[in-house]
Amino acid sequence: MCELPGDAAGPAGIRRPAEDFVVTNASSYRAGSGKGIYLLTGDRMVFTSGPHNGVKYHRTAAGFLRRTLPDGRDGPLHCVRQPGSRG
């Protein structure tokens, strides 16, 4: 599940279902619009094919990823591993 942070006047998070993905094995993932491959090196993850091709994440904790901005900093979008997901 991926979301942007909310604010005190509304929901705690704003879901971004188009960004959601599920890790299906050691290097493959599935998203709403297809399947692809990712590479995890240390705490950095990059999608190398499929619907999220070129998107990068920083693994900040087990099961918690933060999307990487073009300048390399962590962005506001974060994804959390769902129960039953292997990622």
Side-chain angles (χ1 to χ4, degrees), residues 1-2 21-22 63 80-87:
M1 175 181 77
C2 296
F21 62 91
V22 175
V80 179
R81 183 173 58 111
Q82 296 297 294
S85 172
R86 297 182 190 179

Side-chain angles (χ1 to χ4, degrees), residues 54-74:
V55 175
K56 297 177 182 178
Y57 284 91
H58 174 212
R59 184 171 57 180
T60 58
F64 191 89
L65 300 166
R66 211 170 262 290
R67 189 162 181 175
T68 305
L69 298 172
D71 67 3
R73 293 180 301 129
D74 289 351

Side-chain angles (χ1 to χ4, degrees), residues 3-85:
E3 62 184 15
L4 291 168
D7 60 44
I14 302 165
R15 285 288 321 274
R16 297 299 301 248
E19 305 296 333
D20 288 351
F21 62 91
V22 175
V23 171
T24 57
N25 69 37
S27 61
S28 298
Y29 73 97
R30 182 180 73 245
S33 58
K35 297 178 182 181
I37 304 293
Y38 71 90
L39 175 65
L40 180 63
T41 306
D43 63 355
R44 299 293 172 172
M45 179 181 191
V46 61
F47 292 104
T48 58
S49 69
H52 295 305
N53 187 31
V55 175
K56 297 177 182 178
Y57 284 91
H58 174 212
R59 184 171 57 180
T60 58
F64 191 89
L65 300 166
R66 211 170 262 290
R67 189 162 181 175
T68 305
L69 298 172
D71 67 3
R73 293 180 301 129
D74 289 351
L77 181 79
H78 63 268
C79 300
V80 179
R81 183 173 58 111
Q82 296 297 294
S85 172

